[in-house]
Amino acid sequence: MKQDAIQLKGLTKTYRGGRGQPEVKALKGIDLTIPRGSVFGLLGPNGAGKSTLINILAGLVIKTAGQVTIWGFDQDRNPRQSRAAIGVMPQELNLDPFFTPRAALEVQAGLYGVPKSQRHSDEILAMIGLSDKANAYARSLSGGMRRRLLLGKALVHRPQILVLDEPTAGVDIELRQMLWTNIRQLNKQGTTIILTTHYLEEAEEMCDEIAIINQGEVVARDSTTNLLGRLDARSMVIHPQSPVTELPSAPGIIASQRDDGAVVLSYHSQQTSADQVLEAVHVAGITIRDVKTEEADLEDVFLALTSSL
Ligand SMILES: Nc1ncnc2c1ncn2[C@@H]1O[C@H](COP(=O)(O)OP(=O)(O)O)[C@@H](O)[C@H]1O
Ligand SMILES: [Mg+2]
């Protein structure tokens, strides 16, 4: 028990529907433990309840029921200690445009009661690559720089647990690489990392362990290696040389055609090889102009898991 970073028991959140809207059961009794030292992924489609869970950890959303223990501290009985153990990089950009990056870090440190002598703003600025922008107004920073600053703000009180809510959604490759590098470095230094994502690829690259949430429930929880073995859905997109009259058909392959004429072939990589898929394409008499494979995103995976392939 001591060695868990986070422990959730029966965590429930129901948003009350205002103005005739029905209530939303965002979390339906989540039981989950997250080990110390891990990079833990909370994976799930939009609306699954990931941000709700994160925001409860951060103290930004009040839970409806259940127990939250952060670094051994019960959130209700020891709110100060449990809050001090965690730093959150939110999904939404919420920066004061009139603060410079250095000021934003200093103000945040002040909010967490970090004494001046123990602040490490310069170190954080260097880590997030904003040393040369330390004194620029936030409103003059690019979107990527603002996201990096949000990461920096989560670190001012040296939390044992860093939580990142969709850190790379909609960011360019360069920034994504930089965030990943930062995250790995922090984890190496001992910080427990929890990140939410709806990208399988990101979870695969970054996380040791993964919980999949869907509609407010944990539907799977395993090491990344084990999970991805189960979730091996792929799709191959074929752009044909000429219009297709007959879709490929073979066991283990689901073929469909897109409006633009491309043929999409869905398969499980553990059961069916890319070679077998291409063979089926040739048998159907299709000449390939261009081809690419895609790892299914989580929503595809859910579809694949519930359809009988
Ligand atoms: N403040 C809120 N009021 C009412 N419903 C909300 C609120 N925030 C989130 N929800 C609903 O709760 C569900 C889970 O949302 P969220 O936690 O943001 O999911 P995710 O981060 O996985 O996309 C969704 O149905 C969403 O519409
Ligand atoms: Mg979210």
Side-chain angles (χ1 to χ4, degrees), residues 85-103:
I86 201 166
V88 178
M89 176 182 172
Q91 185 171 7
E92 308 290 333
L93 283 171
N94 58 349
L95 290 168
D96 186 322
F98 297 106
F99 281 158
T100 67
R102 188 192 304 283

Side-chain angles (χ1 to χ4, degrees), residues 262-297:
V263 176
V264 182
L265 301 148
S266 306
Y267 60 102
H268 282 291
S269 61
Q270 290 201 331
Q271 288 151 27
T272 308
S273 67
D275 218 29
Q276 287 170 307
V277 178
L278 287 171
E279 177 61 23
V281 171
H282 288 304
V283 168
I286 297 170
T287 310
I288 299 171
R289 179 166 57 82
D290 192 15
V291 59
K292 67 176 183 178
T293 60
E294 290 170 357
E295 233 170 279
D297 67 20

Side-chain angles (χ1 to χ4, degrees), residues 50-51 91 165-166 196:
K50 304 181 298 292
S51 291
Q91 185 171 7
D165 196 359
E166 308 259 0
T196 77

Side-chain angles (χ1 to χ4, degrees), residues 30-71:
I30 302 262
D31 293 320
L32 186 65
T33 54
I34 298 177
R36 294 188 182 190
S38 59
V39 179
F40 192 94
L42 276 176
L43 198 57
N46 282 327
K50 304 181 298 292
S51 291
T52 300
L53 197 158
I54 295 301
N55 289 335
I56 290 173
L57 294 180
L60 299 170
V61 166
I62 311 287
K63 63 182 189 263
T64 306
Q67 199 185 0
V68 175
T69 310
I70 301 173
W71 215 255

Side-chain angles (χ1 to χ4, degrees), residues 12 50 109 159 235 285 296 303:
T12 304
K50 304 181 298 292
S235 31
L303 287 178

Side-chain angles (χ1 to χ4, degrees), residues 43-284:
L43 198 57
N46 282 327
K50 304 181 298 292
S51 291
T52 300
L53 197 158
I54 295 301
N55 289 335
I56 290 173
L57 294 180
L60 299 170
V61 166
I62 311 287
K63 63 182 189 263
T64 306
Q67 199 185 0
V68 175
T69 310
I70 301 173
W71 215 255
F73 296 107
D74 183 284
Q75 196 184 38
D76 296 329
R77 276 179 285 156
N78 302 98
R80 205 175 52 80
Q81 290 95 326
S82 65
R83 196 172 96 99
I86 201 166
V88 178
M89 176 182 172
Q91 185 171 7
E92 308 290 333
L93 283 171
N94 58 349
L95 290 168
D96 186 322
F98 297 106
F99 281 158
T100 67
R102 188 192 304 283
L105 294 178
E106 289 292 322
V107 167
Q108 185 80 359
L111 286 175
Y112 275 91
V114 181
K116 280 231 157 64
S117 61
Q118 284 172 33
R119 293 186 189 171
H120 58 138
S121 300
D122 286 328
E123 194 188 313
I124 294 178
L125 287 166
M127 174 182 181
I128 58 178
L130 288 183
S131 297
D132 57 341
K133 295 280 179 185
N135 300 314
Y137 282 130
R139 67 177 167 211
S140 72
L141 303 178
S142 71
M145 292 174 182
R146 290 180 205 201
R147 284 192 94 93
R148 275 140 58 190
L149 182 53
L150 284 182
L151 171 63
K153 280 179 69 180
L155 297 172
V156 293
H157 57 299
R158 302 176 205 265
Q160 290 95 329
I161 306 168
L162 173 66
V163 181
L164 308 114
D165 196 359
E166 308 259 0
T168 60
V171 310
D172 61 32
I173 291 175
E174 201 182 336
L175 175 58
R176 187 184 344 171
Q177 292 301 343
M178 179 161 188
L179 288 169
W180 283 3
T181 305
N182 285 163
I183 291 167
R184 286 205 183 92
Q185 184 190 341
L186 287 160
N187 182 245
K188 230 185 230 158
Q189 292 163 3
T191 309
T192 302
I193 310 286
I194 302 172
L195 62 91
T196 77
T197 178
H198 57 273
Y199 301 119
L200 263 184
E201 184 202 340
E202 176 157 281
E204 182 172 9
E205 270 225 40
M206 294 295 301
C207 304
D208 323 317
E209 295 192 52
I210 294 177
I212 297 183
I213 10 184
N214 192 32
Q215 300 186 2
E217 290 175 302
V218 175
V219 294
R221 154 84 160 89
D222 212 332
S223 71
T224 307
T225 326
N226 287 347
L227 266 182
L228 289 168
R230 273 151 67 186
L231 309 181
D232 63 335
R234 301 280 184 280
S235 31
M236 192 181 286
V237 181
I238 307 269
H239 293 274
Q241 198 64 257
S242 49
V244 169
T245 49
E246 179 200 342
L247 284 177
S249 151
I253 301 172
I254 292 178
S256 61
Q257 192 161 22
R258 291 200 318 218
D259 289 346
D260 65 356
V263 176
V264 182
L265 301 148
S266 306
Y267 60 102
H268 282 291
S269 61
Q270 290 201 331
Q271 288 151 27
T272 308
S273 67
D275 218 29
Q276 287 170 307
V277 178
L278 287 171
E279 177 61 23
V281 171
H282 288 304
V283 168

